[in-house]
Amino acid sequence: QVQLVESGGGLVQAGDSLRLSCAASGRAAGIYTMGWFRQAPGKERAFVANIDRSSGSIYYADSVKGRFTISRDNAKNTIYLQMNSLKPEDTAEYYCAAGTIFYGVAISPAQFAYWGQGTQVTVSS
């Protein structure tokens, strides 16, 4: 069992920055990849970014490339999402996710077995 706790969300204006954190506990040693998804009202949960905890390989959704940066601290079983140049369309509930199976590329919610409760990011214009 893995527990994930997100933090760092809030209300900001367009162009501002936020950094989200996600700490994993429990059987975190078995985690292969960790990532971030987001879900806006009326929309499906969408991939944002993930990182392979072993190789460090990183994947970003096209919508956040150049603005968001995912990073890791394996010793703390923690990942971060630095979000710069935030836009109103970034407004969503952001979820941390962890997967224990290697897929090569993990961008689907179904590929992540564990989820945090979410942290709200609201970007006003």
Side-chain angles (χ1 to χ4, degrees), residues 4-5 9 16 21 47 52 73 85 91 100 102 107 109-111 117 124:
L4 303 174
V5 179
D16 286 352
S21 299
F47 169 75
D52 179 346
D73 186 338
S85 301
T91 296
T100 59
F102 174 73
I107 60 173
Q111 296 174 296
Q117 294 184 342
S124 63

Side-chain angles (χ1 to χ4, degrees), residues 40-96:
K43 297 184 178 180
E44 296 183 351
R45 189 165 298 187
F47 169 75
V48 176
N50 67 16
I51 183 167
D52 179 346
R53 295 182 68 194
S54 179
S55 70
S57 296
I58 293 172
Y59 305 92
Y60 293 103
D62 288 343
S63 59
V64 306
K65 286 181 179 177
R67 299 188 298 119
F68 291 10
T69 302
I70 188 171
S71 60
R72 64 178 180 176
D73 186 338
N74 285 348
K76 297 181 179 180
N77 293 316
T78 299
I79 62 167
Y80 307 91
L81 186 68
Q82 179 66 44
M83 304 184 294
N84 298 326
S85 301
L86 283 163
K87 304 175 181 179
E89 51 263 44
D90 295 318
T91 296
E93 189 83 2
Y94 282 71
Y95 296 90
C96 178

